[in-house]
Amino acid sequence: MKINSSVEVTMRAAIHAAVKRDFATLDERLRSLKDDDNAAATVELALAVVGFLMVDIHGGRPGDDQIVAVAGEVAEAESWAQPTRREVADFLMKLMRGEPFASAVPAENVIVLAFVVAANLLSSCRRDDEKWWDYLDRIEATMEAAG
């Protein structure tokens, strides 16, 4: 997967706001994504990052129990964004199965969850000697190498 640098910059800014738990800035970043190809590409990249993170963290495709456990941890840790455990679990289940979100997760929630979950996983599952953006660099390198 070739990562578009302008899309990456936009995605990183939204993830950064979520890592900082700065709802106002995250909201501002997300509002700037309305109705264009760059917005769709930014959300798609964030979703791809979450998928790669889940596989990396679990050493392969996670099972349903693992997904539910992650959902609980994310919902608790990211209470500032008000995701519920069920909402995060539905989001991750659909993402990891490659299923459409529409039946389980409203589109606006998919957008917020893409960045909030990415921020949580990048900051909580990184190596002790790295920053969240270093972990993101490793994930992006893997994504690009995978084609």
Side-chain angles (χ1 to χ4, degrees):
M1 163 182 215
K2 178 69 177 142
I3 297 174
N4 177 307
S5 60
S6 67
V7 168
E8 181 195 20
V9 168
T10 305
M11 179 196 68
R12 282 179 180 253
I15 291 173
H16 180 72
V19 167
K20 294 290 189 181
R21 295 184 169 128
D22 182 347
F23 191 80
T25 302
L26 177 60
D27 187 52
E28 177 184 313
R29 299 280 187 241
L30 297 180
R31 287 184 192 283
S32 72
L33 295 178
K34 290 184 178 174
D35 301 327
D36 67 351
D37 292 338
N38 194 36
T42 302
V43 174
E44 287 173 14
L45 179 58
L47 291 170
V49 165
V50 171
F52 268 82
L53 283 164
M54 289 292 288
V55 169
D56 186 60
I57 291 163
H58 293 97
R61 187 167 300 278
D64 290 354
D65 290 345
Q66 292 170 307
I67 291 171
V68 169
V70 168
E73 292 169 12
V74 170
E76 183 177 331
E78 307 304 333
S79 60
W80 64 274
Q82 301 179 332
T84 66
R85 180 185 191 138
R86 171 67 10 222
E87 190 176 50
V88 178
D90 288 347
F91 166 79
L92 289 172
M93 292 278 188
K94 295 290 187 186
L95 178 66
M96 297 313 298
R97 292 176 181 162
E99 297 174 355
F101 294 106
S103 65
V105 186
E108 62 274 5
N109 292 4
V110 169
I111 294 168
V112 171
L113 287 170
F115 298 104
V116 170
V117 173
N120 177 276
L121 296 177
L122 287 166
S123 59
S124 66
C125 298
R126 62 186 166 73
R127 295 177 185 155
D128 289 337
D129 64 337
E130 69 183 353
K131 304 290 185 195
W132 68 265
W133 54 84
D134 296 324
Y135 190 14
L136 180 55
D137 289 344
R138 284 193 297 116
I139 291 297
E140 288 177 338
T142 302
M143 291 168 65
E144 286 195 319

